[in-house]
Amino acid sequence: MEYIYGSTDFKYQNTCVTLGKFDGLHRGHQLLLSELAKFEQQGLTSVMFTFDYHPGNLFSEKEIDLIYTEEEKKELLSRLGPKVLISYPFTEETASMEPEDFIKEVLIGKLDAKAIVIGTDYRFGKKRKGDAELLKKYSVVYGYELVVCEKLTYSDKVISSTRIREELRNGQIESVNEMLGRPYTIMGTVVTGNKIGRTIGVPTVNLLPTEHKLLPPNGVYASRIKYQENTYYGVTNIGYKPTVGAGQKLGVETHIFGFTGDLYGKIIEVELYRYERPETKFSSIEELKQRVQSDIENVKDFFARG
């Protein structure tokens, strides 16, 4: 997959383009990608077009926490199929662009779009005046085909990144995974921890998520770990390790069942499947050890049952 980040210096011919924020890459976004794939089979180059800075952040003092960071999004999309991912610079100039100019200068001028795929609620251009109706109007002028996909639902409610964030903050991992269409994932480089796990016979690997990565509540989770082409299962703790001295940074610590290798400096993925219990401060290391062993047995039983 070709990746263009923060640049306007690109030009393609004969493309099919899907437009959106794509935070979460949930099942609704995957529907757009499946429509895009149909045009790709007709010989068009598939392009996912989004912005390199969440549009809600530019005009707000409050940062929007991300279900997936840009790096995580890029990695996931490399498996989902678009040939090109464009994270376009979202600047004051971009925000003030009239929607008609965006169609003419970007979608046609830079991308030569022959097909455009969007969701029903997609808005673009100055004051979000651009919509499906405007794109339909200009499809006659520029000769592209427009596909507008209806929203998908889960438990009788529309699937959206906002809803997924809410469920994630509430620790509802299983419903989050249903809406994402895959397990919620934390990707990162393994860093050195305090190595307390080794002293109790439960070695762990540690990740330090980026500042704006949205995490579920602190606690213990059943997890699956991916490293290169290998898949393992394990127990993951999100939090500050209160029993062994509160850490300064929120960390993601995982015990991988049956793994004995060295992963320091390696990139891994930790997928969360089920919330087990809250993070707890135990009265002793021995009490911590006993509870961790219980967590391990519970998680092994969970995965054994499929």
Side-chain angles (χ1 to χ4, degrees), residues 66-287:
L66 302 173
I67 300 167
Y68 288 123
T69 66
E70 186 71 16
E71 284 302 309
E72 290 171 335
K73 184 189 297 185
K74 183 174 69 170
E75 177 60 32
L76 290 170
L77 280 171
S78 70
R79 307 167 193 172
L80 289 174
K83 291 295 186 290
V84 182
L85 168 60
I86 298 175
S87 286
Y88 201 78
F90 193 77
T91 62
E92 295 282 358
E93 181 180 358
T94 305
S96 62
M97 182 179 288
E98 293 292 342
E100 294 86 352
D101 293 334
F102 177 77
I103 296 171
K104 178 181 178 181
E105 296 175 19
V106 179
L107 296 181
I108 303 304
K110 291 182 175 295
L111 294 175
D112 186 32
K114 306 301 184 187
I116 296 174
V117 179
I118 60 170
T120 54
D121 64 343
Y122 183 68
R123 300 291 184 273
F124 63 98
K126 185 177 180 180
K127 297 182 180 179
R128 293 168 52 84
K129 292 184 294 185
D131 57 10
E133 186 176 342
L134 188 70
L135 282 168
K136 184 64 177 178
K137 173 183 174 182
Y138 277 89
S139 67
V140 179
V141 177
Y142 294 112
Y144 57 79
E145 183 175 346
L146 178 67
V147 176
V148 181
C149 296
E150 294 294 328
K151 291 286 190 178
L152 298 183
T153 61
Y154 169 71
S155 294
D156 299 323
K157 294 182 180 179
V158 169
I159 295 173
S160 70
S161 296
T162 299
R163 184 182 174 197
I164 292 171
R165 284 193 193 90
E166 181 180 348
E167 292 286 271
L168 192 55
R169 289 189 179 100
N170 291 332
Q172 302 298 319
I173 288 298
E174 288 162 295
S175 62
V176 165
N177 290 350
E178 287 290 339
M179 290 187 284
L180 287 176
R182 80 175 71 77
Y184 166 81
T185 304
I186 305 163
M187 299 183 188
T189 302
V190 176
V191 299
T192 303
N194 55 23
K195 300 184 180 180
I196 294 295
R198 296 183 184 278
T199 67
I200 63 174
V202 187
T204 60
V205 294
N206 293 268
L207 302 178
L208 292 177
T210 60
E211 180 182 1
H212 299 301
K213 169 73 171 179
L214 179 60
L215 297 171
N218 291 359
V220 176
Y221 295 83
S223 58
R224 185 170 71 174
I225 301 89
K226 292 183 177 180
Y227 169 61
Q228 295 181 345
E229 301 300 320
N230 303 307
T231 300
Y232 308 90
Y233 295 92
V235 175
T236 294
N237 182 79
I238 296 176
Y240 296 95
K241 307 177 187 178
T243 305
V244 297
Q248 297 299 310
K249 291 185 177 180
L250 184 65
V252 177
E253 183 179 24
T254 301
H255 170 63
I256 306 175
F257 302 154
F259 185 82
T260 58
D262 181 359
L263 291 176
Y264 290 128
K266 307 298 185 183
I267 296 175
I268 67 170
E269 301 176 31
V270 177
E271 301 175 338
L272 303 185
Y273 277 77
R274 186 178 72 170
Y275 176 74
E276 298 295 320
R277 63 171 175 84
E279 186 177 43
T280 305
K281 183 175 182 178
F282 297 101
S283 59
S284 67
I285 295 295
E286 182 60 30
E287 186 180 355

